[in-house]
Amino acid sequence: MGERARAWWPEGGGVGDGVPGVPGFVHSDFAPVVVAVAERCLRRGYGSERVPAGVRTGIVLVSASGDLASAQHVRATVEAGGRIGPLFFFQSVPNSVAGHLAARWDLRGPVVCLSPTGDPYTDGVAEADLLRDDGDADEVLLILIEQALDRPTEAVAVLLGGGARP
């Protein structure tokens, strides 16, 4: 499957001014980074145009850690006897930001989130290939993201495929 566009977070070797927030997601930069890197990639693939109506674009989000910052916040709050805000039940599932992105960009393909068992890029491309080979998607937006406590969140998004199949 050919690569049509690619984007990173952060780009240019620096962290920059931070990632823009995403309504409905709090505390963690997991969802905002997913949205930022995916939108950069989609804009590089399609310019100012939207994905054409006949193209089924799937999303494959790959992360070994998931939303680590939110998970740790929830764990610490519970251990301290505090109440967890209702947004954490929604946003702590990586599918929620992938679904948000699909709705925001009117992407009409399947959404798959997975934790890699091997190399994250290889596992993600294999899943993207399955979606195309099964006829479920014409192209796939592959997003790889990891959070760590001791460094900024990093992500890459790759638009794979070539639009609608004949």
Side-chain angles (χ1 to χ4, degrees):
M1 183 179 308
E3 183 176 311
R4 298 192 51 228
R6 179 181 287 254
W8 299 264
W9 186 269
E11 277 189 331
V15 176
D17 296 331
V19 65
V22 177
F25 295 90
V26 296
H27 183 74
S28 172
D29 68 354
F30 184 90
V33 167
V34 167
V35 170
V37 75
E39 288 184 344
R40 281 180 182 171
C41 186
L42 288 168
R43 276 191 233 100
R44 288 176 184 163
Y46 287 101
S48 61
E49 301 295 319
R50 290 287 193 188
V51 177
V55 177
R56 294 166 304 153
T57 304
I59 298 174
V60 174
L61 191 149
V62 180
S63 180
S65 63
D67 187 349
L68 183 61
S70 288
Q72 290 192 323
H73 171 74
V74 168
R75 182 178 311 115
T77 301
V78 169
E79 286 174 356
R83 291 187 65 175
I84 301 166
L87 285 177
F88 284 101
F89 294 102
F90 164 77
Q91 80 173 33
S92 294
V93 180
N95 292 34
S96 61
V97 70
H100 170 87
L101 188 60
R104 189 169 175 167
W105 279 79
D106 197 25
L107 304 180
R108 291 168 293 285
V111 171
V112 177
C113 295
L114 59 99
S115 182
T117 57
D119 175 68
Y121 183 80
T122 301
D123 286 0
V125 169
E127 185 65 31
D129 286 342
L130 281 174
L131 293 176
R132 284 195 29 107
D133 291 346
D134 286 348
D136 294 327
D138 302 311
E139 64 184 18
V140 174
L141 179 62
L142 172 61
I143 304 164
L144 302 120
I145 180 169
E146 291 304 331
Q147 283 188 320
L149 297 177
D150 58 346
R151 65 182 188 277
T153 300
E154 296 178 347
V156 63
V158 183
L159 186 59
L160 300 167
R165 288 183 173 186

